[in-house]
Amino acid sequence: MSDAFEDMGPVDFLVIEFPGNRMTGEGFPLLLDLVDRGVIRVLDLLFVRKDVDGSVVGLELADLDGDGRLDLSVFEGASSGLLGQDDIDEAGMALEPGNAAGILVYENLWAAPLARALRRGGAQLVAGGRIPVQALLASLEAAEAAEGGDGPAASRP
């Protein structure tokens, strides 16, 4: 195993859909903050659009910044080579026609020390996943209802 891999934290990806191709840029300062604070490292960031005919096309960062209010140049060249055409096609299948998406691959730098220690001890990740917020909220509401509460608000003071 190479030293570079040995030092890495877990790597995740997100596909974020923007209905109607509306990207306000509101999340970019927060993404930059995570990078600046060393919480994550962006490995890949690319944008795609699904046309009404179902075709998926890549978007250049310059195409997204037509109004001059959002400086995306910091993300130019964020490409590790991890994403291939099959990944882009798969992301496109999740999109509704007429919408765009950002595909983000990032390393969880905050978890790198734990990952290194576990690997040194011979441990390896054998499964992972993410619980959607909607599923978590539905589960909490069902638990509250079973206890006779009125939902998540019932547990607040």
Side-chain angles (χ1 to χ4, degrees):
M1 189 179 312
S2 76
D3 287 342
F5 173 75
E6 187 68 30
D7 288 339
M8 286 189 74
V11 174
D12 287 325
F13 76 94
L14 299 172
V15 178
I16 304 148
E17 184 174 35
F18 298 97
N21 294 320
R22 285 187 332 271
M23 295 182 208
T24 65
E26 199 171 326
F28 286 111
L30 299 170
L31 179 61
L32 279 173
D33 181 57
L34 292 172
V35 171
D36 289 345
R37 289 188 296 126
V39 176
I40 66 167
R41 176 171 55 135
V42 173
L43 300 176
D44 284 286
L45 178 63
L46 63 91
F47 294 89
V48 296
R49 180 183 68 231
K50 187 171 188 175
D51 291 332
V52 291
D53 67 1
S55 61
V56 178
V57 296
L59 299 173
E60 295 293 326
L61 287 178
D63 297 339
L64 303 174
D65 194 17
D67 62 6
R69 290 184 292 149
L70 180 62
D71 182 12
L72 299 176
S73 61
V74 69
F75 294 114
E76 284 194 66
S79 176
S80 68
L82 288 172
L83 291 175
Q85 187 61 47
D86 55 334
D87 300 306
I88 294 167
D89 293 341
E90 189 173 336
M93 290 186 335
L95 295 178
E96 291 295 321
N99 291 346
I103 305 171
L104 174 67
V105 179
Y106 61 96
E107 176 187 2
N108 291 284
L109 294 174
W110 62 268
L114 173 62
R116 278 192 300 272
L118 292 171
R119 282 192 288 266
R120 277 194 307 269
Q124 61 183 351
L125 180 64
V126 295
R130 197 152 265 146
I131 299 170
V133 171
Q134 297 87 341
L136 179 62
L137 291 174
S139 178
L140 290 172
E141 287 174 3
E144 287 286 331
E147 293 175 4
D150 292 328
S155 62
R156 293 187 200 130

